[in-house]
Amino acid sequence: MVHIQWNTDSVVYDGLCAEASRQAEKQGICVPVGPYLLGQSWTLKECPFIIDGLFVTDYFTRTPRKLSPFRSFASIELFHFHIPEDTVIAVWNLITFKEQGGTFGDQCPDRSITVYFRSGAPSVINPLHTHFPRDTAVPGSFALTLTWTLPNRTTGVFNVTSPLPGDWFLAAHLPKDEGKISVKGLYEECQYLFQPQLIVQRLVNIAVLYPGFVTEQSMGPHNRSCLYKVFVPSYTSRVLVEVLRCHGAEGCPLWLRVRAKAPPLHNSTAMDCRDHTPCQLALDLPFWQHWYYVLVEKHPGVPGTVSFQVIVQVTDCSQPSLARPPFLPSSASMNMPHSFGSMGGLALGDSPPPASPNGTKHPVPIPTSSPASERCWPVRPTLRNELDTFSVHFYIFFGPNVSVPPDHPAVFVINLLPVLDSGGVLNLELRLNVDHLLFHQSSLCGENVTVFGCLNHEVPLTSSDNASVTCETESLAGFLLSVNATATLSRLRIPYPQTGSWYLSLRSLCATEHG
């Protein structure tokens, strides 16, 4: 039996997309480029990854705020932005100016300003290099320092290509005070004000792929790429993207790229279709209830028209003997994900999709069985109890003790609400019920049992492999906890975790099973 105690007030870092060494700036906009494009002339609508499509520009600004020297987290100024889906470029314009006595502070000293960026939650700021408590996993963030280019004003630009959609947080502060003592009122105080502005450009009417249906496409001589997206419902263990019947002047001169949540980048999961037949990308353990973007890109210098077909197949892991049939979700269900507790995922359509410029065709046969390793297990919900304004507990139904069977994992989910739970610390505690172990000493494992817990964001990790215990895959990172008869308690603290669904997968193994 395992006692699990949740504690949180929260919102994990998924990383920033900007990479200066692989970008070029043109008219204040930063876009991903390959080596073959550096030094060439191009415009925003000739983005090397997305040629065709309609761009919409959105502007967001915040009121200037007075910055303070850093003493604690309470000293920072925190700004919240929301980046819409299908955004290909986000540009933050960072404006800072000095004031003294109601006028420009030309005589104020230059003080550097540190700005932090993070997707999904506020940054964990520690410029004083203090130590965190034991068992604390500190998420990363990106920071830059603004220097002064004019006596009373300076600006900075921070560009993110294909940013993750949703909440973004900016934090800013002045350096720590030098400790000088001065008499108040002898001179006008210098004030440093900071104002961030956000400009985003997003694509509209991105073609939607429906799992199980073939989409035909022709890429003309002046087109560089075609972008699609497909929605991955809950209880999906595998997504397979294929390029079929590809014909061009040089065989199949295409790149296939796939990325979750945002349009692909140069370093996203990719396959060169010239060297692989069939050209396909398989994504195991995809994020649930998210869009996946598929980019088919032509090799540079390829003449003529390239024709091809694209198909996506989705494996339903809730019933390993059945594959998810081809479906056509309604527009409402595509934009409003279903509850994580429902086994059905998206609603299934009864009619084939209507004709479209992309040439969507009839469904193709898909496998009727899934490997046993791709099976997923029911996810048990937790009860949210708001104790006060600053404290939220999550309880397991019929807990706190839960049984962890030896033949399959026990999976639990905790949902952190956007913005409302975007601060604080997520505390997870696993405790082994030693009395229950002593009562069952005659069992196969007895005191040699070890319970492993994997905490993952947006998809549970429920591997049935008993040879090794890990909470990470090539595309999925997580946190590992373990308890046994000698170490009955394990804790994990995550300051400012990302909001959304967190999954805890518990497995009980005998000592002989994992060495």
Side-chain angles (χ1 to χ4, degrees):
M1 305 292 286
V2 180
H3 169 68
I4 305 171
Q5 180 181 355
W6 302 84
N7 238 342
T8 184
D9 292 319
S10 334
V11 322
V12 174
Y13 173 67
D14 202 346
L16 296 177
C17 305
E19 188 176 340
S21 62
R22 301 285 293 177
Q23 295 174 344
E25 186 170 326
K26 184 79 169 180
Q27 298 176 350
I29 301 296
C30 196
V31 299
V33 299
Y36 50 85
L37 286 173
L38 291 175
Q40 296 188 13
S41 175
W42 44 268
T43 64
L44 180 60
K45 290 188 177 180
E46 295 170 339
C47 172
F49 274 7
I50 303 168
I51 296 292
D52 300 323
L54 175 63
F55 288 87
V56 174
T57 302
D58 297 320
Y59 299 88
F60 308 92
T61 187
R62 296 294 181 265
T63 303
R65 298 186 196 172
K66 176 186 173 182
L67 298 182
S68 303
F70 184 86
R71 297 184 182 89
S72 66
F73 194 83
S75 307
I76 72 166
E77 292 296 329
L78 186 65
F79 300 86
H80 172 235
F81 290 90
H82 185 85
I83 292 184
E85 291 183 339
D86 305 336
T87 295
V88 294
I89 298 172
V91 180
W92 272 279
N93 189 27
L94 311 175
I95 304 172
T96 308
F97 51 94
K98 307 173 186 176
E99 281 189 358
Q100 186 177 28
T103 61
F104 290 114
D106 294 350
Q107 304 305 317
C108 294
D110 294 345
R111 305 190 67 183
S112 61
I113 297 169
T114 306
V115 185
Y116 302 83
F117 298 81
R118 188 177 174 214
S119 169
S123 300
V124 179
I125 298 173
N126 185 28
L128 304 182
H129 305 292
T130 57
H131 293 286
F132 290 94
R134 187 181 176 185
D135 303 322
T136 301
V138 181
S141 61
F142 184 86
L144 59 85
T145 300
L146 300 179
T147 56
W148 295 89
T149 55
L150 295 174
N152 54 36
R153 180 185 176 91
T154 189
T155 58
V157 176
F158 181 73
N159 306 320
V160 182
T161 305
S162 294
L164 298 176
D167 299 315
W168 280 72
F169 294 85
L170 273 66
H173 65 80
L174 295 173
K176 180 184 177 182
D177 271 333
E178 299 177 356
K180 294 182 179 180
I181 300 177
S182 60
V183 179
K184 188 175 182 180
L186 291 182
Y187 61 92
E188 295 289 346
E189 180 186 3
C190 288
Q191 296 185 353
Y192 300 81
L193 296 110
F194 176 74
Q195 180 183 25
Q197 299 174 340
L198 173 63
I199 305 172
V200 300
Q201 286 210 322
R202 55 187 175 87
L203 277 168
V204 296
N205 299 326
I206 297 179
V208 176
L209 299 175
Y210 301 106
F213 288 89
V214 173
T215 298
E216 294 184 353
Q217 187 78 53
S218 292
M219 196 182 304
H222 301 291
N223 294 342
R224 274 292 313 276
S225 59
C226 297
L227 181 66
Y228 312 90
K229 64 180 181 179
V230 59
F231 190 78
V232 176
S234 298
Y235 296 95
T236 297
S237 62
R238 182 182 174 90
V239 174
L240 180 65
V241 183
E242 294 183 273
V243 173
L244 308 172
R245 298 184 179 181
C246 176
H247 302 287
E250 302 175 5
C252 186
L254 299 176
W255 277 96
L256 175 63
R257 304 179 191 272
V258 181
R259 183 184 178 209
K261 306 179 186 179
L265 294 165
H266 67 276
N267 57 355
S268 300
T269 302
M271 178 70 67
D272 189 347
C273 296
R274 293 182 305 183
D275 304 329
H276 297 85
T277 302
C279 184
Q280 60 184 23
L281 284 175
L283 307 174
D284 295 319
L285 293 175
F287 296 120
W288 291 356
Q289 301 291 87
H290 281 288
W291 288 102
Y292 270 73
Y293 291 79
V294 178
L295 180 68
V296 180
E297 184 188 16
K298 189 190 300 183
H299 280 271
V302 174
T305 299
V306 180
S307 61
F308 58 92
Q309 295 179 344
V310 180
I311 183 173
V312 177
Q313 298 184 19
V314 176
T315 302
D316 183 354
C317 63
S318 61
Q319 303 181 50
S321 61
L322 299 174
R324 191 183 300 277
F327 61 85
L328 176 61
S330 65
S331 58
S333 64
M334 294 295 283
N335 294 324
M336 186 175 295
H338 288 234
S339 167
F340 280 92
S342 88
M343 295 286 288
L346 290 172
L348 302 182
D350 298 326
S351 60
S356 68
N358 292 332
T360 303
K361 299 297 183 180
H362 290 88
V364 298
I366 55 178
T368 57
S369 62
S370 303
S373 61
E374 293 183 349
R375 181 174 181 181
C376 56
W377 306 94
V379 177
R380 295 175 55 177
T382 54
L383 176 64
R384 178 187 178 97
N385 183 21
E386 297 184 3
L387 300 181
D388 50 51
T389 306
F390 304 102
S391 182
V392 178
H393 284 190
F394 293 86
Y395 298 97
I396 294 177
F397 287 98
F398 309 108
N401 292 327
V402 297
S403 298
V404 181
D407 54 341
H408 64 81
V411 185
F412 305 88
V413 61
I414 175 174
N415 293 314
L416 301 183
L417 303 179
V419 181
L420 180 63
D421 293 337
S422 61
V425 180
L426 173 63
N427 295 302
L428 172 64
E429 180 180 295
L430 293 182
R431 188 187 301 271
L432 189 65
N433 192 327
V434 180
D435 295 335
H436 183 80
L437 277 180
L438 294 176
F439 183 75
H440 290 279
Q441 282 189 52
S442 58
S443 64
L444 180 61
C445 291
E447 295 184 358
N448 293 326
V449 66
T450 299
V451 176
F452 294 92
C454 281
L455 183 66
N456 296 90
H457 190 232
E458 298 181 328
V459 61
L461 187 60
T462 57
S463 172
S464 58
D465 180 18
N466 289 342
S468 61
V469 178
T470 179
C471 296
E472 297 183 0
T473 64
E474 292 183 0
S475 59
L476 183 65
F479 304 93
L480 176 65
L481 301 91
S482 64
V483 288
N484 52 41
T486 56
T488 60
L489 179 63
S490 181
R491 291 190 179 96
L492 174 65
R493 300 176 181 88
I494 306 176
Y496 299 157
Q498 280 185 316
T499 53
S501 297
W502 286 84
Y503 294 90
L504 177 65
S505 306
L506 299 177
R507 295 173 55 199
S508 60
L509 300 177
C510 295
T512 55
E513 294 181 3
H514 57 276

